[in-house]
Amino acid sequence: MTYSGRNKFEIARFSGEDENHINRKLPKELLLRILSYLDVVSLCRCAQVSKLWNILALDGSNWQRIDLFDFQRDVEGPVIENISRRCGGFLRQLSLRGCESIADGSMKTLAQSCPNIEDLNLNKCKKLTDQTCQALGRRCNKLQRINLDSCPSITDISLKALADGCPLLTHVNVSWCQSITDNGVEALARGCPKLKSFICRGCKNVNDKAVSSLATHCPDLEVLNVQGCDNVSDESISKLGGGMRRLCVSGCARLTDAALAAVAARCPALATLELAQCSQLTDAGFQALARNCRMLERMDLEECVLITDTTLVHLSMGCPRLEKLTLSHCELITDYGIKQLSMSPCAAEHLTVLGLDNCPLVTDGALEHLTSCHNLQLIELYDCQMVTRNAIRKLRSHLPNIKVHAYFAPVTPPVAGGGARPRYCRCCNII
Amino acid sequence: MEEDKFALVERIIKDIHLVLSKIAELRAFDIVPVDTNIRNKSPVLHLENCLGLESWCIKHVYMYSYSEIMDKYCTKGRRKTFNVSLNSERLIKLLNVTLLLNPELSLFWNKRRMLVLECLLDKIYELHFTRLILSRKPKCNDAFAYRRWLLDIMFKDDSLQNNNIQDIINEELNICTLASDKNPNNYHSWNHRIWFLNKLKTLEKQFNVHYHYIKEYNFSEQWVAKNVSDYSCFHYRQFCIKNIYLLNDDLWIKFTKSVNLDLRKTFVRILAANFPKDSTIQVSEDDLLTYSENNLVNLLLFHSVKKCYCILDNVLVCRKLETLFHELEVNNELIRFYKHHETLWYHRRFIIHEIVRIIYDHFCLTKSNGSLIRNTCKKCTYDDERQKQAKMVRYDSNCIYSCVLFNVLLTHERKFVEEMRMNFDNYADRHEKYLKFVEGFNNSSKCL
């Protein structure tokens, strides 16, 4: 077993003194094994039992995967330094999500003591700067996943340091790091050819060059999220390779049908496609998409204002696995399109979530068609002003577990039991 | 069903939040009475810079957001060092909604104060937000108190630019005017206005607050003429009159120009009309106009019993009298025009009281417990009689009751009360009683 060597002497010392049954019967290795199944809180409790257990519970081997999200308010610099000293090379996975008081200093200590870390989540650690990533790049060459979501001080320098030092990186999330530009992304793409997932929501400076280099240098790329990067256009999206599973280009308003056609031709395995606010897309693009991407499961078409029922016809014929479809603000959609959808192979088994809010032409008729979608769990109908309360009631009677989101006032159940309460005081026996 | 309700409320909160993101343009918020919604339509209405919320959803939205704040953000438990910044955006969203619906929640306003201190809320945003609150509830004291707190902080900040201050002043006075307009007898808005002017006085670095005194004086004159039953605005008017005393010579000239009236003429006309008949000096209106301030005051308050040799500022006394007699004249007209308004009569009491106080000051007297006491001179520390502080003997107080100004005032009030009594205004009798028992006007009844 794997307790660290420096404690061997102490273990021998304390176990000699210990008279407890469990400690005499069980070998240390088994105790350690048992402890390794415990969570953070239980481990800390065990550490207070005795000197022997303290050593065993705080052994680095038990601390390979740590998530401190529940303690985010309390975690400060010294905590991280202690953890990195205890765990040393054992630490594989650490989540410091929301630990806002963490600064570069403690992360440098971590990088030095724990060179084997593979998965690091630093979401919302707002104080961190490029120095953290430089330290990681120098020491932690085995890093595979890093999440820097909402760390506003992170710049291209970080990405370059990671690209130089961590060639094994597969998952990178730099959402809302607004200083990131195409230079950093290109360096990352060149340095980390194994990249599978790259997420940079809200990075306004990420452009065609960045996405193109990802497409060229990272053949394994499966997930790309460039939501809100409005400089991205058809040119780079058309280069994406066949491994793509999830693509989110919401808010990239420059995209046209050409991009859809290219994606359709090159990425047949696409399962998730988010196209919200891509208002130039039309039925023609979706026709091409539906013909080739038969694995599509989730689609977000919010505010694709030009699409009509024809798109729904194509989708219902071409995408039998469709689970989740959002058509918010697609104002040309009518009952006919919904009818086609409900008759499609996907409807009966897979379709679970359907977003129809702000589709003014949808009426009660659409809900009647949807009664055949047995798996439907959630339907959004906000501001569909032609839909009435009666139709919703009817839909509920067919699909008893469905959640319907609409602007109708909730019916307050009649006050029951209020009057039944005895009118005398229970504690005194006068009456 | 329960989950659907929560989803609906979340959606409504989101809709409100979207509208509130353009808060700088929003002018008004109100609840639109719609008992049942037949159509599947958003209850959040946004039209021409106004935000409306249909009433059917209020109950659900309020209960939901209120209980979430209370449960999640107001717990006083084991963890006292609760870090709000953790989920401040959510908290702000909920606070916005809850306070819009019910602004009388001091606890939630304090939460906002906390957020402002942690720089999680923008002060300008907060000013806009309170304005929106006041558009619906113009009597909300919590909102006014919060504004005062914000402005206090903002004025302490040295980086505040001069033109920014000007904007703030205009905005603040504007809001007070709107709030007063929406709700008569709005004590809070007038009180806030007084606080604001006093606050400006303490600043007084880059601008002269006295211009605002003149402006506010004229503004309040128009306002009280339109709102004769609003005692709160009359209180503000009295504050403005007292501020006029503080003007220096240049500003006094500016002030007299701005009122479009010859104050001296009004004053002299009242004097001439009510001059005591047995007086040895007989004067006409034209004669009095030629008098200098000093002479005029000497004529009206000829007898000074001062023991020290400080020079009295007769010019200031004269200006005060001019202002007050102008006010008296305005009050006459208002009472004649709007009959049976108690507020107007109370305002009259204030005017009389102020004039009588000027007379007392002139003779170095104060009133305490209903009896006159000799006071020390305010300017020098002359106090040879301080030890005695005895009640004034009749002889001494005669100097008051025999001075011309006192008799002019007495005659004027007698005439006016008589006139009003003919008009069956019950308050006239009460006014006479007030004069008799509070201001001591009966002591000299033998003079008439």
Side-chain angles (χ1 to χ4, degrees):
Chain A
M1 287 305 285
T2 51
Y3 53 82
S4 8
R6 68 188 171 88
N7 279 333
K8 267 181 184 160
F9 169 70
E10 289 173 42
I11 291 174
R13 203 179 118 210
F14 290 129
S15 57
E17 294 168 6
D18 213 314
E19 295 297 311
N20 272 317
H21 204 60
I22 188 170
N23 293 334
R24 272 190 283 141
K25 287 285 173 193
L26 275 184
K28 311 301 157 262
E29 288 75 11
L30 282 187
L31 272 177
L32 209 52
R33 179 63 176 263
I34 294 168
L35 289 173
S36 71
Y37 291 109
L38 297 182
D39 63 16
V40 177
V41 178
S42 313
L43 276 176
C44 290
R45 284 186 185 142
C46 289
Q48 297 173 43
V49 170
S50 69
K51 287 183 177 171
L52 177 67
W53 276 40
N54 183 276
I55 296 165
L56 294 177
L58 296 183
D59 192 86
S61 61
N62 293 328
W63 295 79
Q64 299 185 20
R65 293 182 168 71
I66 307 176
D67 185 350
L68 296 178
F69 178 66
D70 294 338
F71 313 99
Q72 50 181 324
R73 294 164 204 150
D74 305 326
V75 172
E76 284 176 8
V79 176
I80 303 301
E81 281 154 31
N82 273 334
I83 286 180
S84 31
R85 232 178 301 122
R86 292 262 179 212
C87 303
F90 284 112
L91 191 67
R92 299 268 186 276
Q93 192 179 344
L94 176 65
S95 168
L96 299 174
R97 187 152 67 96
C99 303
E100 290 188 23
S101 30
I102 299 300
D104 286 330
S106 25
M107 289 311 293
K108 279 183 196 163
T109 321
L110 181 93
Q112 268 182 347
S113 325
C114 313
N116 291 328
I117 191 160
E118 287 166 4
D119 184 348
L120 187 56
N121 186 344
L122 301 172
N123 189 344
K124 270 198 173 177
C125 298
K126 292 182 180 166
K127 280 191 189 165
L128 297 185
T129 69
D130 292 333
Q131 292 183 22
T132 296
C133 293
Q134 282 170 330
L136 289 172
R138 268 197 301 276
R139 297 276 174 174
C140 309
N141 300 331
K142 296 182 179 164
L143 198 64
Q144 289 177 14
R145 292 165 181 250
I146 185 158
N147 185 344
L148 294 165
D149 196 330
S150 309
C151 301
S153 311
I154 297 294
T155 70
D156 286 343
I157 299 170
S158 291
L159 289 189
K160 279 176 187 155
L162 290 173
D164 291 341
C166 315
L168 300 178
L169 270 176
T170 55
H171 291 70
V172 176
N173 186 342
V174 287
S175 300
W176 310 108
C177 301
Q178 311 241 5
S179 327
I180 298 283
T181 70
D182 49 327
N183 291 329
V185 178
E186 194 181 347
L188 188 77
R190 284 180 191 276
C192 311
K194 295 190 171 176
L195 208 60
K196 279 186 184 163
S197 158
F198 183 77
I199 301 174
C200 61
R201 288 155 66 212
C203 298
K204 296 271 176 202
N205 294 320
V206 169
N207 56 15
D208 277 340
K209 200 177 143 210
V211 176
S212 302
S213 52
L214 282 170
T216 354
H217 299 291
C218 310
D220 297 338
L221 198 66
E222 286 177 3
V223 179
L224 177 67
N225 189 334
V226 288
Q227 183 189 332
C229 307
D230 38 19
N231 288 322
V232 173
S233 71
D234 295 348
E235 187 199 332
S236 60
I237 295 298
S238 316
K239 292 183 187 161
L240 289 171
M244 289 302 295
R245 304 261 303 140
R246 291 179 50 191
L247 175 62
C248 173
V249 288
S250 295
C252 304
R254 292 167 63 187
L255 294 184
T256 67
D257 287 341
L260 274 191
V263 165
R266 297 175 61 101
C267 317
L270 209 58
T272 303
L273 182 58
E274 295 182 22
L275 298 164
Q277 285 109 38
C278 299
S279 46
Q280 297 191 41
L281 302 180
T282 68
D283 294 338
F286 286 100
Q287 184 175 16
L289 190 77
R291 200 172 292 148
N292 287 321
C293 300
R294 304 185 58 84
M295 312 298 276
L296 272 172
E297 288 169 3
R298 292 162 173 260
M299 289 191 80
D300 183 354
L301 307 181
E302 188 177 331
E303 282 187 59
C304 294
V305 283
L306 297 178
I307 65 170
T308 66
D309 293 339
T310 322
T311 295
L312 289 186
V313 172
H314 294 310
L315 286 180
S316 55
M317 292 200 299
C319 308
R321 292 189 168 202
L322 213 51
E323 270 175 33
K324 190 180 169 190
L325 180 62
T326 306
L327 297 167
S328 312
H329 293 276
C330 297
E331 300 187 347
L332 302 176
I333 298 290
T334 69
D335 290 355
Y336 175 73
I338 304 297
K339 187 183 170 193
Q340 296 299 317
L341 193 69
S342 64
M343 295 195 307
S344 73
C346 72
E349 292 170 43
H350 296 291
L351 195 64
T352 49
V353 179
L354 183 60
L356 288 173
D357 50 311
N358 296 288
C359 297
L361 300 178
V362 169
T363 71
D364 291 352
L367 294 196
E368 271 172 39
H369 296 307
L370 285 173
T371 48
S372 63
C373 304
H374 302 299
N375 215 7
L376 201 57
Q377 284 167 11
L378 170 64
I379 180 165
E380 298 221 358
L381 292 168
Y382 293 118
D383 247 341
C384 300
Q385 300 193 15
M386 317 256 277
V387 173
T388 64
R389 213 188 265 269
N390 266 333
I392 291 177
R393 205 170 295 146
K394 221 178 271 173
L395 184 70
R396 275 215 176 94
S397 67
H398 280 96
L399 306 168
N401 295 325
I402 195 170
K403 288 179 203 152
V404 183
H405 291 179
Y407 277 130
F408 288 118
V411 196
T412 36
V415 188
R421 211 183 329 154
R423 286 177 177 248
Y424 53 84
C425 174
R426 278 188 185 177
C427 54
C428 44
N429 298 324
I430 302 168
I431 306 170
Chain B
M1 285 300 275
E2 199 72 340
E3 281 168 16
D4 288 350
K5 183 176 129 187
F6 292 155
L8 166 76
V9 171
E10 280 292 337
R11 173 75 183 201
I12 294 172
I13 292 175
K14 192 179 149 203
D15 287 352
I16 295 175
H17 187 69
L18 269 180
V19 180
L20 283 184
S21 60
K22 287 170 268 173
I23 198 161
E25 300 160 12
L26 286 178
R27 292 285 146 203
F29 166 74
D30 215 334
I31 288 170
V32 185
V34 179
D35 286 340
T36 47
N37 61 326
I38 314 150
R39 293 166 71 203
N40 181 12
K41 201 169 145 292
S42 173
V44 181
L45 312 166
H46 182 206
L47 259 177
E48 292 170 0
N49 299 335
C50 296
L51 172 63
L53 200 57
E54 291 180 359
S55 60
W56 60 265
C57 70
I58 303 297
K59 190 172 69 184
H60 310 289
V61 174
Y62 183 73
M63 288 304 290
Y64 180 82
S65 46
Y66 177 86
S67 45
E68 182 169 339
I69 296 177
M70 290 308 268
D71 291 349
K72 287 198 186 158
Y73 301 93
C74 297
T75 43
K76 270 194 180 172
R78 295 167 290 156
R79 213 169 287 210
K80 282 201 172 163
T81 52
F82 178 67
N83 189 355
V84 197
S85 62
L86 179 68
N87 205 349
S88 60
E89 279 159 37
R90 173 80 182 156
L91 176 59
I92 291 168
K93 230 186 247 184
L94 292 172
L95 280 177
N96 282 346
V97 174
T98 325
L99 286 174
L100 270 179
L101 298 179
N102 177 14
E104 266 103 24
L105 280 169
S106 303
L107 175 67
F108 290 8
W109 286 110
N110 286 338
K111 272 262 163 312
R112 289 190 94 92
R113 288 190 172 97
M114 216 162 81
L115 291 167
V116 169
L117 287 181
E118 288 184 28
C119 294
L120 293 166
L121 265 174
D122 179 39
K123 294 183 191 95
I124 304 291
Y125 179 92
E126 289 304 276
L127 287 179
H128 288 314
F129 181 72
T130 38
R131 184 185 63 190
L132 201 59
I133 297 281
L134 289 171
S135 74
R136 171 156 168 260
K137 296 237 168 163
K139 270 190 164 175
C140 178
N141 188 39
D142 279 314
F144 277 118
Y146 186 58
R147 267 191 105 80
R148 288 196 279 276
W149 182 82
L150 284 171
L151 289 169
D152 244 341
I153 294 183
M154 288 171 83
F155 282 139
K156 269 179 204 150
D157 189 1
D158 292 326
S159 60
L160 200 63
Q161 293 298 314
N162 201 13
N163 48 349
N164 280 351
I165 294 187
Q166 206 55 50
D167 285 349
I168 291 176
I169 294 174
N170 291 340
E171 174 79 1
E172 208 59 32
L173 294 178
N174 197 12
I175 286 173
C176 286
T177 313
L178 286 177
S180 315
D181 198 24
K182 279 210 169 144
N183 211 326
N185 299 338
N186 193 341
Y187 168 78
H188 301 294
S189 72
W190 292 109
N191 192 37
H192 184 75
R193 213 181 173 103
I194 292 176
W195 173 86
F196 187 66
L197 282 181
N198 282 333
K199 185 80 207 166
L200 290 182
K201 195 165 31 175
T202 59
L203 292 179
E204 195 137 20
K205 28 182 185 180
Q206 298 107 327
F207 64 95
N208 198 341
V209 71
H210 292 104
Y211 287 110
H212 289 284
Y213 288 160
I214 300 175
K215 243 175 155 177
E216 288 302 293
Y217 177 87
N218 292 326
F219 162 80
S220 60
E221 181 156 346
Q222 287 170 11
W223 192 278
V224 294
K226 284 180 206 149
N227 301 276
V228 285
S229 270
D230 189 340
Y231 45 82
S232 297
C233 76
F234 274 99
H235 178 233
Y236 182 70
R237 172 74 177 160
Q238 290 158 15
F239 170 77
C240 290
I241 291 171
K242 284 181 182 164
N243 280 337
I244 290 298
Y245 299 166
L246 306 173
L247 299 182
N248 61 19
D249 293 348
D250 291 348
L251 285 161
W252 174 260
I253 294 166
K254 232 175 214 133
F255 167 65
T256 46
K257 273 180 195 157
S258 74
V259 290
N260 282 331
L261 252 176
D262 195 339
L263 290 175
R264 177 66 65 80
K265 226 172 198 169
T266 326
F267 181 35
V268 164
R269 195 166 57 236
I270 299 178
L271 289 180
N274 300 293
F275 227 74
K277 291 187 183 72
D278 58 341
S279 179
T280 44
I281 330 145
Q282 284 301 324
V283 280
S284 68
E285 204 177 321
D286 295 331
D287 283 343
L288 283 171
L289 273 176
T290 56
Y291 278 46
S292 72
E293 279 103 346
N294 211 0
N295 289 342
L296 197 59
V297 172
N298 280 338
L299 168 72
L300 295 171
L301 303 159
F302 49 87
H303 194 280
S304 180
V305 286
K306 278 169 70 73
K307 296 259 165 65
C308 63
Y309 298 97
C310 296
I311 303 154
L312 272 175
D313 191 353
N314 281 341
V315 179
L316 179 64
V317 171
C318 183
R319 281 177 190 167
K320 284 183 177 178
L321 288 174
E322 279 176 29
T323 324
L324 287 168
F325 272 90
H326 168 63
E327 193 62 23
L328 195 62
E329 184 64 31
V330 172
N331 189 259
N332 285 347
E333 277 165 29
L334 286 178
I335 291 181
R336 281 191 192 113
F337 200 80
Y338 302 99
K339 293 191 179 77
H340 313 297
H341 278 274
E342 200 174 8
T343 311
L344 291 173
W345 287 96
Y346 285 142
H347 186 57
R348 195 177 186 85
R349 288 185 183 182
F350 162 81
I351 303 165
I352 304 293
H353 184 77
E354 280 295 302
I355 297 174
V356 171
R357 235 184 61 188
I358 289 173
I359 301 174
Y360 287 163
D361 278 352
H362 190 81
F363 295 111
C364 282
L365 297 169
T366 45
K367 205 163 197 188
S368 112
N369 288 335
S371 54
L372 285 170
I373 285 176
R374 185 175 296 283
N375 201 9
T376 49
C377 174
K378 273 177 194 161
K379 281 180 188 163
C380 63
T381 48
Y382 182 83
D383 58 350
D384 64 338
E385 297 204 20
R386 202 179 213 171
Q387 291 83 2
K388 296 180 187 172
Q389 289 225 329
K391 209 170 163 185
M392 283 212 38
V393 287
R394 185 73 170 196
Y395 174 77
D396 270 330
S397 57
N398 267 347
C399 64
I400 297 171
Y401 303 126
S402 58
C403 82
V404 176
L405 181 61
F406 190 82
N407 285 310
V408 166
L409 193 60
L410 191 64
T411 324
H412 181 258
E413 287 307 293
R414 282 270 158 82
K415 275 187 197 164
F416 188 74
V417 166
E418 205 52 49
E419 184 193 333
M420 283 303 114
R421 203 175 274 146
M422 306 292 273
N423 284 333
F424 307 107
D425 197 332
N426 293 333
Y427 296 113
D429 292 337
R430 291 175 62 181
H431 188 65
E432 196 180 25
K433 278 182 187 158
Y434 170 81
L435 295 176
K436 232 185 217 168
F437 297 123
V438 181
E439 300 298 352
F441 275 33
N442 61 334
N443 294 2
S444 53
S445 53
K446 61 178 180 286
C447 301
L448 282 175

